[in-house]
Amino acid sequence: MTVYNADFVSHLLPDLVAACDAAAVQNVRSGHGGPFGASLSVYNRDSGALVPVAGPVCNAVLETGLAGAHAEDQVLQPAALHALRDALQTVGRGCAIVVLASSGESCPACYSKIEIVARTLVTDGLIEAGAFVLAYGASYEDTRVVAGFNDEPYHADMAGPLQNRMIPCVRGDGALPVPARVVMPDGAAYDGADGRMAQGTPLFTPEIQAIYTACRAQKKAGVDEPWNLRRAVLYTTAPAVGPLMYAESQWANIGRIVQCDGPVALTEAPDATNDALFAVVAARPYNGPGTAVHVVRVTPFANLAQHEWARLSEAGQVAHYNGIEA
Ligand SMILES: [Zn+2]
């Protein structure tokens, strides 16, 4: 990135991240979800003007029953992506920088979504390569120590060797009639269609749709922890396991991913194989070769929402709900 000016880094990004933190305090108090907020803006690097696009919105796992309904996911919903594309057309490709601000460091599922959105915007000619900034406040370590949410093992799992993965990925025999299907331990099956064209978002892949359909069915049936799919099997016809389907499966407690023959599926990103995208999402430190997103950690960061979560947790008013406990 060569586009930074001092004000962008020293004032604008910290202000955006602080606003996400403030919204997350309210989210915790209202019981909608965890202590995490995110917003989406377009910065005009020529004029210095900021166009707010969406948010701050907050983690909505408890409200939606979906394991991946994190703040970053909520700010990348179809309406927000539509507004983002409009804002980018107004500001113009030559001077637009997309800023996704998040109060916490993004988990691999959210980071996958953000990479995919950034790549789609570049491929569609709406931004220049490198003009997508992800700014965050609390690191994985801060989030674990203060609030008790531990995302780091999910990343370590994806960065580690294939044969040691938390979710075994195997080849199945036989063909699948749909691009993706979740089969629960009791045999109930939930199919996922490719919703990307119809819904105008690159994120509604068949695997994501299948997982969400299963979670929504559990929520409707009044199942405790509807986001937990209890080691269900995810079947996919994708040519390789991409980071989005894998990381979302971590959160949803999928027990196995089985690749089958069947309808030809698109890759998760428009410009990379699923294997290549997986490697980019797992790579650390951030901002290595091949990344479409430029990651900036904002310091100092007050982290008010996570301290509020810790306070309410000690008082027994909120409880850890999914993921790996610290
Ligand atoms: Zn996340």
Side-chain angles (χ1 to χ4, degrees):
M1 285 293 282
T2 54
V3 293
Y4 288 166
N5 63 44
D7 185 62
F8 181 75
V9 176
S10 61
H11 290 100
L12 192 133
L13 295 184
D15 285 354
L16 287 171
V17 172
C20 296
D21 189 28
V25 171
Q26 295 308 316
N27 194 56
V28 168
R29 290 180 182 158
S30 67
H32 287 169
F36 308 99
S39 71
L40 196 56
S41 316
V42 175
Y43 175 68
N44 184 323
R45 70 183 181 210
D46 283 359
S47 70
L50 186 79
V51 182
V53 172
V57 292
C58 295
N59 181 290
V61 172
L62 298 179
E63 193 182 5
T64 61
L66 304 176
H70 299 168
E72 302 94 311
D73 170 271
Q74 293 296 292
V75 90
L76 295 175
Q77 291 298 305
L81 290 181
H82 191 79
L84 175 61
R85 296 175 83 91
D86 284 350
L88 289 172
Q89 259 155 357
T90 305
V91 172
R93 181 174 182 267
C95 40
I97 301 176
V98 177
V99 181
L100 198 157
S102 173
S103 63
E105 184 172 5
S106 295
C107 75
C110 291
Y111 187 33
S112 300
K113 292 168 191 174
I114 297 164
E115 265 292 326
I116 290 166
V117 167
R119 285 159 186 267
T120 305
L121 296 175
V122 173
T123 302
D124 292 350
L126 288 166
I127 57 171
E128 290 176 355
F132 196 116
V133 172
L134 168 61
Y136 71 92
S139 67
Y140 282 162
E141 179 67 4
D142 294 336
T143 302
R144 182 182 68 79
V145 171
V146 177
F149 291 88
N150 191 11
D151 291 4
E152 205 281 331
Y154 288 138
H155 171 253
D157 177 45
M158 290 178 67
L162 195 62
Q163 63 274 17
N164 293 351
R165 290 272 153 82
M166 191 183 282
I167 308 172
C169 302
V170 298
R171 268 253 149 235
D173 25 74
L176 194 66
V178 291
R181 173 175 286 171
V182 164
V183 178
M184 299 296 294
D186 67 2
Y190 301 98
D191 290 343
D194 194 332
R196 285 177 280 196
M197 293 301 280
Q199 312 255 17
T201 164
L203 302 178
F204 287 178
T205 62
E207 297 80 13
I208 294 297
Q209 301 272 76
I211 289 170
Y212 285 6
T213 303
C215 293
R216 288 190 178 114
Q218 293 208 107
K219 187 168 198 292
K220 200 172 168 200
V223 173
D224 191 35
E225 298 190 345
W227 49 83
N228 179 355
L229 297 182
R230 296 165 176 79
R231 314 304 288 170
V233 179
L234 172 64
Y235 294 89
T236 173
T237 64
V241 173
L244 178 56
M245 71 176 85
Y246 188 86
E248 197 80 15
S249 294
Q250 290 176 322
W251 284 111
N253 195 19
I254 292 286
R256 196 155 42 101
I257 299 176
V258 181
Q259 289 175 258
C260 302
D261 294 333
V264 177
L266 297 171
T267 53
E268 291 187 345
D271 63 340
T273 64
N274 283 356
D275 284 334
L277 189 69
F278 201 111
V280 162
V281 169
R284 293 291 183 279
Y286 291 116
N287 307 324
T291 56
V293 174
H294 188 83
V295 183
V296 178
R297 182 180 177 191
V298 166
T299 53
F301 172 63
N303 205 7
L304 301 175
Q306 293 189 3
H307 282 101
E308 179 68 0
W309 178 271
R311 192 181 70 77
L312 292 177
S313 180
E314 259 175 43
Q317 293 173 35
V318 296
H320 190 88
Y321 50 87
N322 76 336
I324 296 163
E325 285 199 53

